[in-house]
Structures are given as C-alpha cells and as structure tokens.
Amino acid sequence: MAGVMVPSVLLVCLGNICRSPIAEGLFAHHAERAGLDVVIDSAGCAGFHVNKPPDPRAIATAAAQSIDIAHLKARQVAVADFYRFGEIYAMDETNLAELQSLKPADATAKLGLVMSMIDGAQTPGRSVPDPYYGGQGGFDQVFEMLDQAAASWARRQSLTAGED
C-alpha cells in the first residue's frame, strides 16, 4: 500500500560485533515468528570493525539457539540512519549519548535503550553489558537479555499492527 511505512529498528552498540548483531538476529527471529513485516539492522557507534563479521563468540552463542548471524557485517552508524529508521535502540547509556549527539535536529527516529523494550521491566534503563573482554558467560547473559527485549518488541509491534 502506498504511503504505509514499514516499521524499522536499528540496534546499536560500540563496534557492531557483539551485542548489536546478536540483537539484530534475535529481533529478526522474533519478528519472523510473529509474522511481522519490519526492517531490522544493526550498527556501531565506532568504526573499529567495519565490514568484519560478528565476534566468533557472538556467532557461536546465537548459533547454539538456531539464530544465524554469521553473514552480518559490521558498519558504523550514519546520519542517514536517523531518517531511515523509526526506532534506534542503544545497548548502553554511552552508546545512547553518542546517538543523541549525532542525531540531526529534524530527524524523526525515536532513540532509547534496548532494555526499555521489556514489558514491565523493573529497571527500564538497564544497560546490556559489553561481553567483548569477558568469557562465554557474558555472551550468554547478553543473549538472554536481548532475547527478552526482542520478544517484548515483537509483541508491541504485533499489537500496533493489529490496530491498523
């Protein structure tokens, strides 16, 4: 239908090789399960890893739950993203502050923390910790957190789509 905008979400962490690719895979998984027509992408605030695949530990963590993120390539947030995406969610307060400083005054994207997606969250401002310098347990924790956020986001999108 002409003029109907497909919901879109960009998930952002620092380098786009750990948290945000896991989030992208999970948001896509939950969107597909809910039958949603959405655009989902991920990016990093920094350009350290542009065009590189996700961290092998992130790929393995997602793959253990049948989520394939091996094909993703890191990219840096661009000014155009603030016009292209309706929602942009950061993994932590530092990434959110960086996004807020980059966002053009006339951009319409809604910014927030990804953990604010969780329905009835006790701590809606909670950040997703960066697992890069830790062990496998950190990646497992990140996966569990982002799975909750993605499921809540998909439920909200389903409800919104039902109102149209």
Side-chain angles (χ1 to χ4, degrees):
M1 291 190 284
V4 174
M5 203 164 145
V6 173
S8 57
V9 63
L10 179 66
L11 303 147
V12 179
C13 68
L14 180 60
N16 194 212
I17 61 166
C18 295
R19 295 171 289 176
S20 58
I22 290 173
E24 180 180 349
L26 281 165
F27 274 60
H29 169 75
H30 284 283
E32 183 178 330
R33 285 182 61 197
L36 298 172
D37 181 18
V38 295
V39 174
I40 300 166
D41 197 2
S42 64
C45 287
F48 307 133
H49 306 288
V50 171
N51 291 323
K52 300 255 177 15
D55 184 290
R57 298 166 294 174
I59 293 171
T61 301
Q65 301 298 324
S66 301
I67 308 286
D68 179 17
I69 62 169
H71 63 284
L72 300 178
K73 298 286 183 226
R75 72 176 187 86
Q76 191 170 7
V77 173
V79 170
D81 291 328
F82 294 96
Y83 300 96
R84 180 174 168 224
F85 293 94
E87 300 171 278
I88 301 176
Y89 293 108
M91 299 296 133
D92 61 40
E93 295 283 353
T94 303
N95 300 142
L96 181 58
E98 179 70 17
L99 290 169
Q100 288 167 333
S101 73
L102 292 172
K103 183 181 176 184
D106 66 339
T108 57
K110 173 187 164 197
L111 302 182
L113 289 172
V114 71
M115 293 310 291
S116 69
M117 294 292 95
I118 296 181
D119 300 328
Q122 298 286 329
T123 53
R126 195 163 55 136
S127 292
V128 178
D130 190 344
Y132 186 75
Y133 292 106
Q136 184 59 47
F139 283 87
D140 294 339
Q141 176 189 15
V142 163
F143 186 92
E144 288 174 25
M145 292 175 78
L146 292 171
D147 191 37
Q148 292 174 20
S152 291
W153 179 83
R155 273 192 300 277
R156 192 186 78 205
Q157 292 299 316
S158 293
L159 291 172
T160 303
E163 294 171 0
D164 292 343

